[in-house]
Structures are given as C-alpha cells and as structure tokens.
Amino acid sequence: MTAATHDAWLRRAETLDLPGAHLIDGVEEPGGGRTFRAVSPRDGRVLAEVADGGAAEVDAAVAAARRAFDHGPWPRLAPADRGRVLLRVADLLEEHRAELALTVSLEMGKPVTDAHDIELRAVINTFRWYGQLADKLTDESPHTAPDALALVTREPAGVVGAVVPWNFPLTLAGWKVAPALAAGCTVVLKPSENSPLSALLLGRIALEAGLPPGVLNVVNGNGPVAGRALGLHPGVDVLAFTGSTAVGRHFLRYSADSNLKRVWLELGGKSPNIVLPDAPDLDRAAATAAWGIFFNQGEMCTAPSRLLVHSSIAEQVTEAVVRRARELRVGDPLDPATEMGALVGEQHLARVLDHVGDARDDGARLLTGGARTLTGTGGVYLEPTVFDRVAPDSRLAREEVFGPVLSVLAFDDLDEAVALANATEYGLAAGLWTSDLSTAHRVSRALRAGTVWVNCYEEGDLTVPFGGMKQSGNGRDKSVHALEKYTELKTTWIQL
C-alpha cells in the first residue's frame, strides 16, 4: 500500500472504520457519555466522535490494570511467553499497516507515506525488538562472603501510566508500552486528544494478539482532566510522559501530591545543528538541515531548529537551505507526492505564527515562508519558513516553536559555536558536521544533549537510548535502558 496513488488513499479513507470508545479491561467502553470531535487538520473534516474520559474512566482503567497486575497472568508469564505476544502485536501491526498509517495521517496531518514508511516501521520494530529481548535479560549475583548468597533482581514496577503526544502517536506510544509490557507491567495509555484514534486501534490489535484484558487500557481525554487524573492516581506506580516541559512540571507536582510515583519525562527541545567549514559535504549538510526542520511539519522535539553555521560558509549553506524550502511540496497528506503536510490544528498554527511575528519584531530577517498556505482546503498548512540574523537571546532562538521554522545563527569560532549550542534550557539533541575526528569527539562531549549526531541527523535504531538532559527531561526510551523505568531493583540476601 505504500506505493498507492492519491486516489487509492482517498478511497480507502472513505471506508475507514475508526474507533471512538475507551478500551478498559478488554472492552470498548463509551464512558460517561461525554464526547469530543476528532477533526482532521487535512481538511477540517470530523473523523469521529470520541469518548471524553475523566476521573471515573481513569479510575476504571487503573483498577483494571491493577487487577491484571496483582492477580492476572501477565506479570507471572515466562518472559519468553510475554515476548511471543509482543511479537504477535508486531505482526498484526504489519498486517494493519496501511489502515494505521492512514489513521495517523488523517488525525494529525503528516504525509501518509511518512506515516507508512517511517512511523509504522518504527512502532513495528519497537514491539518486535522488545519481544525478542524479553527472555534475554539477566539478574545479578554479587560476590559475597562464603556464608551468604546475594541476589539482585529486577521486578516489574506495577501499573504504568503512559501519556503520549500527537506528533508521533504510535511510535512514542510503542516506545513506552512495549518495554513496560516486556518487563511484566500493565499499562493505562492516554493518547493526546489530537490523536486518539491510532492509539485505540493499537489497543484493539494488542487484544487480538493475545494480551490479557486489563494489561493495556486506553483512555481518551484532554490533559487537564484525564491526564491530571492519571498523574494523581494513587494506583499508578510509574508515569511516563512525552510532551512539553510545561506539562512535565505538572506531572512532577502530581507525583508529589499523590503517592510519589516515579515520573519519567521526555520533554521539549531546541536542538542546535552545527556546521563547520570542514564538513565532509556541505550540500548534504544543508539538505539534511532542511529535511530535519521540515520533516513532520517541524512538529518534532528533536527538530534541528537552530542552524549554527560558521560565518565563512553561512551564506552558502543558508542559500541551499532556503532553496530546498522553496522547492518543498506542501499539500494534501494523502497525496504520495506531498513532502510536508498539515499542522495538527488551528490553535497550534496560531502559536507557530505568533513565533514568526515575534521573530520579525525582534529584527530577524525572513528569507522564505512565514505565512499560512492552501487556505481553500479547509486544512491547516504553513509555508516552510527560514529566518537568519537571529539574535541568540531572542524568543525564536530560545523557545521551542514545534513547527517548520528554522533559525540561522552564524559563529566565528568553535568555542562560540559550543556556547551558542548550549545557551538553552533544553538538552535533547544536537548535530555536528565536521571531517576532523578530534573535533567530533571534543565537541560531542561539550554539548549538553542526550543525543549528538555527527555528519547526520535523526539516525539510530532501537539498540541506543533516547532522552534528554536539563529541561528536556530524564530517563531514556528505546534500548535495554528503557526497561529500567519499568522495573524495581530488589536485593535478596540469603544467609547460608
């Protein structure tokens, strides 16, 4: 289906069967009767009426997860058996790949080819990787005196609340749900109110794959109500959140005000992308810089939104990025020729345009874009936007825009580049382009970021952890390290 035509995707969209109820204890529940509309940013069309959950629905889902953890089979299964269920989830995600990609594209606006080829590949690989890992973990037996035996074991932490955003609704759900399930935990997943439909489909698929009722529950609702109820719930042992830094602060407060549940946060970013004169390929560096900021409409926490370029090559690199921005095809997410789709909604577009307006007022030079486009479609589209002459202390250089807006800042030496790169409250990711191995090592060590890409951007696989420093959060998704969030260390000391 990845090679399907525009017309084929349109026809499929007309017959798509979309869920709307919560998934609690293995049953699709309408909840208390409150609903909200899932509206497609593609054209403003209402996709579905979705059950709007609150404290009652969260209570029911947490109770189901608690029963499944305390009395159900899932935590007590052999790890290999849990792994086989996760592998079956991956297989079913593959079978439903076109349906899921279409749902993601319709609900949050990304090009359907990106949803199919990138997002679905990521979530399928995530469930498959943790399914294969489940029975390959080992505990510890430290060396002790001859008259004692010490065991250090990792045990499932309990009920996990997972709150995930709309920009990669399945990928980021998978990064939390898959390792939590592999560890033997049960989960209450709250997707964003902007992207509930794909999460509900994931819940259906997990049941079909053989996950026992109550092990994975999905509750829809907005953050200040359903998210808050989950964060405050005393029956939740671990809370994993991906989203804004402002909301992350709320979850820490909820933990302090309830049961001191562990809270793992993956938050915002204002990632620098440093291009040095000795970059191995300046054209590729510029093309990657443009791809990185405009991919997924710039709605990406790791987006390289600050392009830091040495003054000797700044004009050359910036011209190449602007040229690519002007060539980029913005259009219907269901058209395979589209390279940049719709922003997630009107409120988010207004926020991005507010940043654009402030940048102009602050004296930055607009090189291209900066305006809404395709206004006749009913959708939410923005031109790819590039500013240079951006002041390092300006709002555009310091705050996360979460849209297709690039800031270009020039520097004269390496120390200045590192200082500019670190001059932010965030520390999620960074890029560096250089041919000098020593420079690559020195600068990578100096950058306060959870991931540093050298001569590339957004590369990696499930073997490596992902997460941030500073106000970009704590803990790590992906890799074996993600399991640390969902397990408790227990020491057993046996006197012989």
Side-chain angles (χ1 to χ4, degrees):
M1 192 69 185
T2 185
T5 64
H6 191 188
D7 286 343
W9 283 115
L10 290 172
R11 287 195 301 271
R12 192 173 187 120
E14 291 302 318
T15 61
L16 196 60
D17 178 25
L18 294 171
H22 311 289
L23 181 65
I24 299 174
D25 208 11
V27 178
E28 296 192 7
E29 295 280 1
R34 300 179 308 278
T35 63
F36 63 90
R37 291 181 170 183
V39 177
S40 176
R42 171 182 171 260
D43 56 5
R45 181 167 66 94
V46 176
L47 298 171
E49 291 286 340
V50 180
D52 189 4
E57 290 78 13
V58 169
D59 280 344
V62 173
R66 175 56 60 192
R67 287 192 300 272
F69 184 79
D70 289 344
H71 308 295
W74 186 253
R76 296 158 190 84
L77 285 179
D81 292 334
R82 288 201 297 267
R84 277 188 279 273
V85 176
L86 296 185
L87 291 173
R88 177 66 176 149
V89 173
D91 291 342
L92 289 174
L93 288 169
E94 186 68 70
E95 288 181 26
H96 293 275
R97 188 169 185 166
E99 173 191 2
L100 289 162
L102 182 56
T103 302
V104 168
S105 182
L106 287 171
E107 69 182 348
M108 60 75 56
K110 76 173 63 188
V112 70
T113 47
D114 287 349
H116 185 282
D117 295 350
I118 299 174
E119 173 120 16
L120 265 295
R121 179 188 66 198
V123 69
I124 290 166
N125 287 346
T126 298
F127 276 93
R128 186 159 289 137
W129 198 84
Y130 284 104
Q132 293 167 342
L133 179 68
D135 64 345
K136 297 173 179 64
L137 303 172
T138 58
D139 292 321
E140 304 170 31
S141 181
H143 290 181
T144 63
D147 62 346
L149 174 65
L151 303 175
V152 180
T153 55
R154 282 200 172 270
E155 300 185 356
V159 175
V160 174
V163 182
V164 297
W166 45 262
N167 58 327
F168 289 92
L170 284 177
T171 298
L172 298 177
W175 282 7
K176 290 170 171 48
V177 171
L181 295 179
C185 295
T186 57
V187 179
V188 178
L189 172 65
K190 196 210 84 70
S192 166
E193 54 269 37
N194 290 317
S195 57
L197 306 175
S198 55
L200 293 170
L201 289 173
L202 172 62
R204 282 183 180 178
I205 286 171
L207 282 175
E208 185 182 347
L211 209 64
V215 174
L216 175 60
N217 308 273
V218 184
V219 177
N220 315 305
N222 64 58
V225 179
R228 181 177 183 272
L230 195 59
L232 286 168
H233 205 291
V236 174
D237 301 295
V238 175
L239 195 293
F241 170 72
T242 294
S244 72
T245 299
V247 176
R249 295 179 193 276
H250 286 300
F251 279 110
L252 289 175
R253 294 187 188 105
Y254 299 154
S255 172
D257 290 341
S258 57
N259 61 337
L260 293 178
K261 61 179 65 65
R262 284 186 291 161
V263 176
W264 300 107
L265 303 173
E266 193 271 281
L267 306 175
K270 193 67 180 176
S271 301
N273 188 21
I274 304 169
V275 183
L276 299 179
D278 68 342
D281 186 335
L282 284 178
D283 288 338
R284 187 163 70 90
T288 303
W291 171 84
I293 188 59
F294 302 131
F295 171 64
N296 211 54
Q297 302 74 245
E299 297 165 327
M300 192 164 62
C301 53
T302 55
S305 54
R306 292 184 297 148
L307 180 59
L308 310 183
V309 193
H310 192 274
S311 54
S312 65
I313 55 170
E315 183 176 351
Q316 175 187 349
V317 172
T318 303
E319 286 179 355
V321 172
V322 169
R323 187 163 56 249
R324 176 60 186 138
R326 290 172 177 164
E327 294 169 352
L328 203 66
R329 179 163 178 170
V330 181
D332 182 0
L334 301 191
D335 185 348
T338 291
E339 295 173 283
M340 197 176 92
L343 272 67
V344 72
E346 293 287 350
Q347 186 175 357
H348 184 61
L349 173 64
R351 179 182 176 278
V352 174
L353 287 174
D354 183 58
H355 279 280
V356 171
D358 277 0
R360 285 171 159 163
D361 294 343
D362 288 342
R365 180 172 65 170
L366 178 64
L367 299 178
T368 190
R372 186 168 188 164
T373 186
L374 302 177
T375 55
T377 64
V380 186
Y381 299 91
L382 181 67
E383 296 172 334
T385 302
V386 180
F387 283 94
D388 74 349
R389 299 179 184 171
V390 177
D393 60 349
S394 67
R395 185 180 176 214
L396 186 65
R398 301 183 70 85
E399 295 185 14
E400 185 176 41
V401 177
F402 220 66
V405 181
L406 179 66
S407 305
V408 182
L409 297 88
F411 62 85
D412 293 321
D413 59 54
L414 200 54
D415 289 341
E416 183 185 4
V418 171
L420 283 171
N422 287 334
T424 171
E425 65 188 26
Y426 299 111
L428 189 57
L432 172 66
W433 297 79
T434 180
S435 293
D436 186 273
L437 183 61
S438 293
T439 298
H441 281 296
R442 287 200 308 270
V443 175
S444 295
R445 288 178 178 178
L447 293 173
R448 294 287 294 162
T451 300
V452 178
W453 289 288
V454 179
N455 296 331
C456 61
Y457 207 90
E458 287 294 344
E459 299 294 337
D461 59 24
L462 283 156
T463 63
V464 294
F466 174 82
M469 300 179 180
K470 300 193 287 187
Q471 293 187 39
S472 287
N474 53 37
R476 293 297 182 264
D477 288 324
K478 296 171 55 185
S479 83
V480 68
H481 295 285
L483 293 168
E484 297 166 7
K485 299 193 298 187
Y486 308 114
T487 55
E488 296 279 12
L489 276 179
K490 175 182 283 185
T491 295
T492 303
W493 185 279
I494 303 172
Q495 196 69 40
L496 302 180

